[in-house]
Amino acid sequence: RKEVEQDPGPFNVPEGATVAFNCTYSNSASQSFFWYRQDCRKEPKLLMSVYSSGNEDGRFTAQLNRASQYISLLIRDSKLSDSATYLCVVSRTSGSARQLTFGSGTQLTVLP
Amino acid sequence: ETGVTQTPRHLVMGMTNKKSLKCEQHLGHNAMYWYKQSAKKPLELMFVYSLEERVENNSVPSRFSPECPNSSHLFLHLHTLQPEDSALYLCASSRTPGEKLFFGSGTQLSVL
């Protein structure tokens, strides 16, 4: 089983739609969680951290369910510019170091 | 402006060439990383440096040789690469290992 699993998509949605992505992680000792977005042929950029209480940033809402070991990202009122690949990232301690593990990403295309 | 500058953006090299990728971060971070991203695959961690000391090396072939002369600069020296090494190579930094990453724009490498 992969340490971080995401539905690869693609998700094709019309402008204005609400879309949700889920991500599951296998290691219960995971400590920090992030969503990154990556545009085609560009570097990943931090979208938002995910906090235990859930957090919102404009049209984006992230939630964490530690009991079920998944995190989610909800995008409301989708814009064309939201088209990208969304990467789930999980941080945990391995030995004496903390390390980040990336999911394979979920591809989103917002259609006019 | 991400604060992490990576050069070159594109690189084409033959299997007998020697080249180097350069990364510089202006964020005052203590950890720097090299990642490899192949098509349709998640980001693969290659090397981690914390305060100029290598803390992780994920079984990367010796034809990839990292160098971290100080906490702001990171190099990846390449020699006798194989065509399967063609990928996007991303430099990143974080305040400490395992915290959220800030990426450079990447080097798209093609090995002929």
Side-chain angles (χ1 to χ4, degrees):
Chain A
R1 183 185 173 188
K2 292 180 185 177
E3 188 166 346
V4 180
E5 292 205 65
Q6 294 183 250
D7 182 343
F11 284 63
N12 298 317
V13 302
E15 266 188 292
T18 296
V19 61
F21 307 136
N22 287 330
C23 168
T24 58
Y25 59 95
S26 60
N27 193 318
S28 59
S30 299
Q31 299 155 310
S32 304
F33 309 87
F34 309 95
W35 283 103
Y36 280 74
R37 76 167 271 167
Q38 185 174 23
D39 294 288
C40 188
R41 300 184 185 276
K42 297 280 185 74
E43 75 275 19
K45 293 185 178 179
L46 179 66
L47 180 64
M48 56 198 305
S49 302
V50 186
Y51 303 117
S52 297
S53 55
N55 47 300
E56 187 174 309
D57 182 2
R59 299 181 292 109
F60 299 84
T61 301
Q63 292 195 311
L64 167 64
N65 185 319
R66 285 191 185 273
S68 301
Q69 294 182 201
Y70 80 81
I71 66 173
S72 63
L73 177 67
L74 182 77
I75 306 176
R76 290 182 300 277
D77 188 24
S78 301
K79 310 291 185 190
L80 296 177
S81 57
D82 294 334
S83 297
T85 296
Y86 290 82
L87 303 170
C88 171
V89 184
V90 174
S91 172
R92 64 174 175 84
T93 299
S94 174
S96 59
R98 288 182 66 188
Q99 67 177 38
L100 296 172
T101 302
F102 283 76
S104 301
T106 298
Q107 186 180 337
L108 170 68
T109 301
V110 180
L111 305 169
Chain B
E1 178 60 51
T2 65
V4 181
T5 306
Q6 191 177 337
T7 57
R9 292 293 300 273
H10 302 275
L11 179 60
V12 179
M13 58 188 290
M15 289 190 283
T16 57
N17 291 159
K18 289 184 181 181
K19 296 286 184 184
S20 296
L21 310 185
K22 178 183 175 182
C23 180
E24 181 176 0
Q25 58 96 2
H26 314 276
L27 301 169
H29 288 167
N30 291 320
M32 295 189 77
Y33 310 75
W34 283 114
Y35 279 87
K36 175 183 177 182
Q37 189 174 35
S38 303
K40 309 283 186 188
K41 289 185 178 180
L43 271 75
E44 301 171 51
L45 179 63
M46 299 175 73
F47 302 104
V48 182
Y49 278 83
S50 177
L51 295 172
E52 303 149 48
E53 286 191 25
R54 190 189 305 180
V55 296
E56 191 154 341
N57 173 0
N58 280 0
S59 303
V60 179
S62 59
R63 57 186 183 268
F64 295 92
S65 174
E67 178 190 359
C68 188
N70 55 61
S71 60
S72 299
H73 293 85
L74 186 64
F75 297 89
L76 186 62
H77 304 300
L78 317 170
H79 63 98
T80 59
L81 294 192
Q82 305 297 309
E84 60 264 30
D85 296 323
S86 299
L88 179 66
Y89 289 84
L90 290 156
C91 173
S93 71
S94 64
R95 194 164 59 96
T96 60
E99 292 199 26
K100 54 191 174 187
L101 298 172
F102 294 84
F103 285 88
S105 53
T107 297
Q108 187 65 53
L109 173 66
S110 297
V111 181
L112 305 178

